[in-house]
Amino acid sequence: MPESSSVLVVEDNVFDLEAITRILRRSHPYLRVHPLADGGEGVRWLMSAARLPRLLLLDLNLGGKDGRDVLRDIRRESALERLPVVVLTSSTNPRDVEECYAAGATGYLFKSADFSLLQSTLTAGIEYWLRNAPEA
Amino acid sequence: MDADAPVEVPVAANSPEALRERIAMLRDACSAALSVEELVVIAVAQTAAATLAAGGVLFLVDGDELVTAASVGYSAEALARWSRFPLSADTPAGSAVRQRRGQWISHPRDKARCYPHLAQNLTGYGALAALPVASGGSVLGVLGISFRDAREFTPVERLFLLLLADQVGVALERVRDAGRADEAVRRDTTATSTHRRLFDRLSGVENLRHAAAVLLESALALDGVAGVVLTVEDEQTGSGCRVTHCDDPRTAATLGLLTTADHPSAGVTVRLLERRDLIGIPRGEATPPAEPGIGGAAQVLMRGHAVVGSLALALDGRADPGLLRRELLDLAQVGRVVLDREAANERRQLAAGRAAFLTAATANLEASLDVDETLQRMARIAVPALAEGCLVYLNERGRLRLAAATHLDVRVERRIRPELGEDPAFVRLVKSALHGPAATDVVLPDWLHAGRVSTTPLRARDKLVGAIVLLVAPSDGRPGLADATLMTDLAAHAAITIDNALLYATRSAEVAALQQRLLPPRLPILPEFDLAAYYEAGDRSLDVGGDFYDVIVPAPDRLVVLIGDVCGRGADAAAITGLARAVLRTVVEDGASPARALRRLNAAMRAAGERGEFCTAAVVQVDGRGDACRLRLAVGGHPLPLLRRGAETTPIGRHGPMLGLVPAPVFRESDIALSCDDVVLLYTDGVTEARRGRDFFSPQLATAVAGAGRSAADTIARTVAAVERFRDEGNDDIAMVALRPRGRAVTSVEVPELGDPSVLPRIFAAIGEALSGDAGARCELSRRVASALARLPEPPAGRAYVDVLRRPGRWRVEISRPAPRDGRADRRGAATPSGPVVPGSIRALRHGVQTLVSEEVPAHDA
């Protein structure tokens, strides 16, 4: 795994962010994890990054700007159209899923409150996207 | 009995649990030993205690000799004689080492026969067992147990004693390993710091693969090592990994083969091989086993409690073999512990993850009765926890229908339904997996990114309800949540949920069909009578309740309206309404008067009801044409109907007993003349007993009726609206029927579409035909009707009725249309448009006609 691979995690809940970061470090020790609590800063962060991350993990229920709006903002930028954005949410409602897909999500991960299940989900999800996402 | 014959003496206690406990005690005691010296003493003492032996001794192999390490119960002379002796000596202990089998001497004469040179029995004991103590394929020593008396060793006892010896061997190996590791650390300070650094690095690993990578790097850093392959496997979960660092493919391949050797039963083994040894490894090709410069290899096999690990190293010949062996032992000892720890962590996390997944999946499965949506939610949780994609098929009369599909990647998910769901080849693959070995000739499309497909059948109540299909990525050795146990549990939950939902849907459909039969029928369209009705079931989960009504035309000049209320609520009451309505209709059609009809119903209720069902009813018979009628009515326990005549609204009729209560009730009929535009309203107590706090609607009913418009439909509508405004809760059935004589019909025309331009001429023609003798009225009436039609906001679509009527001194034209039958409101909100009707989805029924135009002029014909 190239050491330059990184993941941007947009999550405003400090406990969830810590759990996600811990999981990613365990499963993919060579992956750099960039946390971002403010979804409104997402586009600016990405546009100013020297190298785009391999993947953006986006919590849907952000406190400030809603995750769906962040997603739409990202997709408006042509430079970011190929960036895989995977939504992370506790909802399994098919309508929510469709809404995310319509907004431009590349994938959808169920965010469990249980650490072990979240670990399994994130590990497998990250592995898939690192294997199949285009290089930035 | 021969005094010298061997006797069977049970070893300790013969119960399996007791024997197991003895072995466990010995194991626990030996595991506490910190040195070989300690261990041998413990082992002998524990063995003697476990077997109730008179004496015990442990000989250890030292080169080609056996040396007494510890003993109990033997004389000094015997110990002195057998303190050290050659392995090759013809002794029970020597035989045990050479043959690697236990030696059982049951009687002194057996010993004399087998070992004649051991003529003198120094111990004085009657029987003995010599058990090899082995570990990792090597015999480390012999455990000797002596019994005072001659005895037979039963198969259970032999097994027990051999297991005891095995435990001693395991403990001995462990202590020696630890001792060697400590010795290596003490002897070589460089090794100690390396050891420490290795410990530090391995303490910080995040998972099994990370630990393997660190071990690999550490092995590669040793002097003389040119390439390394490490494989690790958790034998319980089947997960594992292989890490390689080797520039030459041939060498890497050879090293890979070295890692596939059988592992020791416990602990660590290190083997150094020369280049010529590598040649003997079968590789299936004639090329050299390694690149030039590789002088040999090392094979390190580790077995922990959870994992087995194999390290194969290519050596360039620069390293000192002794030092290398020690370093590899250190590495392997530490590595084994760390790999075990990480594997145990992974197992714990897997178990917790599986439990959490099943909890989440079950919660989603039980959240809704909409099968497809429920399965879609479950499939969403399953991805990627179980696999990269999840499809759920339902078995619908032998045909598999794709009910849910999810994938990690939206681009793949979007393609699954249209391209894979109904694909015959893929469905064949799924079907084949459900009924036997999966078909192997189906190639999965590349866009799926799936390594393989795993199918789990869904079975409930002995029938196949569907299948869960997982799209599994090519294995990377990481353990996954989806094992056989979890899939079985998930499938069981899903199957029963599906079956219950389907059963509910079937029952709902059956209830809905039954209800359709019980719903009030459409009202007849009668030119001379304006009829309207309203029905609302109190139980929101059903479409029908205990109220009922009907309108029967038993003869051309006779109209019978009836209404009733079965005591009770819900489905039980609804079932009785069918009986009551059917009985009344039958007797009315046979010509029964209102009172007689009620008496017949009373008898039927008493005959049919095992549980004492009662009802109330009112029967109103109207004889005559729409301009001059007579009304007869009888009431049985029911609210009296109302008669609105002009500005006055009054109750009519005489109270009678409830039906089904007494064997011979008396119902007194009332006889009333009914004029054109009088309105008779029948209703049930759901109207009068509508509540707001402690107040009832009853006192306001007459006012509501009096304030309504002329038509029957308007009377009903105003009354319903008044009830809705008044009540603060509504859980009783409501039924109302209104009747208004309109006049005697002279001409009636039915038009298919009121807005059609050809309708007006037809209306004029009908008026002309009816008023042929009253030209003045004809023209005026035609003008008024045309004007009224023009004032309609827009011509309503559909069928309409044009009736030219005569009432005393006046001509009338009324244009009406069938009122919309029901106000269907889908309470579920998210139901699919094509979904089945669910009981409770009908909010209210409205029957009858809606008067659109009513114009009249004075008649000029006498």
Side-chain angles (χ1 to χ4, degrees), chain B residues 242-264:
Chain B
R242 167 176 284 202
V243 286
T244 303
H245 185 107
C246 189
D247 295 330
D248 177 56
R250 289 170 300 176
T251 308
T254 301
L255 294 179
L257 288 171
L258 283 176
T259 64
T260 61
D262 289 337
H263 289 82

Side-chain angles (χ1 to χ4, degrees), chain A residues 22 25-30 91-95 97-98 101-102 105-110 112 114 116-117 119-125 127-129 131-132, chain B residues 206-207 210 213 217 348-350 352-353 356-357 360 364 373 376-377 380-381 383-385 388 407-414 449 473-474 476 478 481 830:
Chain A
R22 184 158 31 113
R25 288 209 178 107
R26 279 190 189 178
S27 62
H28 297 81
Y30 301 112
S91 170
T92 56
N93 190 323
R95 279 181 290 282
V97 176
E98 274 310 309
Y101 285 166
T106 325
Y108 193 101
L109 293 183
F110 171 66
S112 168
D114 179 85
S116 297
L117 182 55
Q119 181 174 273
S120 294
T121 301
L122 272 180
T123 301
E127 187 59 31
Y128 176 88
W129 285 110
R131 204 169 64 232
N132 293 290
Chain B
E206 298 286 356
N207 54 49
H210 192 190
E217 289 172 18
R348 271 194 300 275
Q349 283 160 8
L350 275 179
F357 172 81
N364 275 267
E373 180 177 319
Q376 187 69 18
R377 287 175 179 262
R380 185 63 59 193
I381 299 174
V383 167
E388 293 183 349
H407 195 274
L408 259 179
D409 191 333
V410 63
R411 297 165 300 183
V412 175
E413 184 172 317
R414 289 262 194 257
H449 304 305
D476 62 354
R478 288 179 201 261
L481 292 186

Side-chain angles (χ1 to χ4, degrees), chain B residues 74-243:
Chain B
Y74 297 100
S75 65
E77 183 186 0
L79 288 174
R81 170 69 180 85
W82 298 106
S83 63
R84 178 182 287 270
F85 55 97
L87 269 176
S88 58
D90 195 17
T91 61
S95 299
V97 173
R98 292 192 302 276
Q99 297 174 28
R100 294 174 182 246
R101 292 167 61 91
Q103 305 298 309
W104 313 95
I105 306 293
S106 297
H107 194 277
R109 60 169 177 262
D110 295 331
K111 183 178 172 185
R113 185 178 68 249
C114 296
Y115 305 98
H117 59 284
L118 295 180
Q120 188 181 10
N121 186 354
L122 292 176
T123 65
Y125 292 138
L128 72 91
L131 311 164
V133 172
S135 179
S138 304
V139 177
L140 307 177
V142 176
L143 185 63
I145 309 172
S146 296
F147 296 88
R148 194 171 308 283
D149 298 317
R151 56 170 298 156
E152 287 292 342
F153 294 95
T154 67
V156 170
E157 288 168 340
R158 292 185 186 212
L159 176 62
F160 173 65
L161 293 172
L162 287 169
L163 288 174
L164 282 180
D166 282 348
Q167 289 299 320
V168 174
V170 168
L172 188 58
E173 180 67 22
R174 177 188 60 78
V175 169
R176 279 182 168 179
D177 285 349
R180 281 193 287 268
D182 287 346
E183 186 184 343
V185 170
R186 278 195 300 276
R187 185 174 56 239
D188 190 335
T189 54
T190 304
T192 300
S193 62
T194 303
H195 201 184
R196 193 180 307 122
R197 280 198 299 276
L198 178 62
F199 254 125
D200 289 343
R201 286 194 68 198
L202 287 171
S203 297
V205 298
E206 298 286 356
N207 54 49
L208 194 64
R209 272 143 291 285
H210 192 190
V214 170
L215 277 175
L216 182 89
E217 289 172 18
S218 302
L220 202 57
L222 297 176
D223 279 343
V225 174
V228 182
V229 171
L230 168 65
T231 64
V232 179
E233 184 190 352
D234 184 328
E235 291 181 316
Q236 184 187 84
T237 66
S239 68
C241 63
R242 167 176 284 202
V243 286

Side-chain angles (χ1 to χ4, degrees), chain B residues 541-825:
Chain B
S541 67
L542 295 173
D543 298 326
V544 293
D547 286 3
F548 64 92
Y549 62 78
D550 205 349
V551 176
I552 306 155
V553 184
D557 287 352
R558 176 168 289 179
L559 174 69
V560 177
V561 181
L562 56 94
I563 197 165
D565 182 356
V566 174
C567 296
R569 303 169 69 88
D572 286 340
I576 301 298
T577 63
L579 167 70
R581 219 172 69 211
V583 167
L584 285 173
R585 174 170 273 269
T586 302
V587 300
V588 163
E589 286 176 345
D590 278 350
S593 67
R596 187 154 182 266
L598 290 180
R599 284 196 297 273
R600 291 291 300 277
L601 179 57
N602 182 76
M605 295 287 292
R606 286 176 56 79
E610 291 176 357
R611 295 178 288 182
E613 282 90 2
F614 310 118
C615 78
T616 67
V619 179
V620 170
Q621 179 181 298
V622 177
D623 290 309
R625 306 289 296 276
D627 56 350
C629 314
R630 289 214 69 83
L631 180 150
R632 264 168 96 182
L633 77 148
V635 179
H638 201 81
L640 296 180
L642 295 178
L643 171 65
R644 187 184 74 197
R645 178 170 289 169
E648 283 196 14
T649 301
T650 53
I652 55 174
R654 298 162 80 176
H655 287 292
M658 286 178 66
L659 303 165
L661 205 59
V662 298
V666 174
F667 303 103
R668 284 190 280 273
E669 292 185 352
S670 299
D671 196 312
I672 300 165
L674 201 61
S675 302
C676 193
D677 290 338
D678 285 347
V679 172
V680 178
L681 178 68
L682 292 80
Y683 54 93
T684 58
D685 62 3
V687 174
T688 50
E689 293 179 5
R691 295 182 67 162
R692 175 189 285 171
R694 287 157 48 167
D695 296 329
F696 292 95
F697 182 75
S698 179
Q700 301 184 35
L701 175 58
T703 306
V705 171
R710 182 167 67 183
S711 71
D714 196 60
T715 304
I716 296 273
R718 295 293 180 106
T719 308
V720 169
V723 171
E724 293 285 338
R725 281 194 303 271
F726 174 82
R727 68 182 176 180
D728 51 18
E729 64 176 52
N731 54 5
D732 198 2
D733 304 330
I734 288 180
M736 284 188 272
V737 184
L739 158 73
R740 174 180 69 95
R742 300 198 299 175
R744 180 167 51 84
V746 179
T747 303
S748 291
V749 175
E750 182 180 329
V751 296
E753 193 65 48
L754 192 59
D756 193 282
S758 66
V759 164
L760 204 52
R762 290 185 65 188
I763 294 174
F764 291 158
I767 294 172
E769 179 189 334
L771 280 67
S772 58
D774 192 341
R778 182 173 68 239
C779 292
E780 179 61 17
L781 192 55
S782 297
R783 188 186 64 76
R784 282 176 179 252
V785 169
S787 176
L789 277 173
R791 286 197 304 271
L792 289 177
E794 61 178 67
R799 194 168 72 247
Y801 307 98
V802 181
D803 300 302
V804 182
L805 304 154
R806 181 64 190 258
R807 49 175 290 219
R810 300 188 76 79
W811 294 104
R812 172 185 285 175
V813 169
E814 286 202 353
I815 303 175
S816 55
R817 66 166 181 174
R821 183 166 189 247
D822 56 33
R824 188 172 292 269

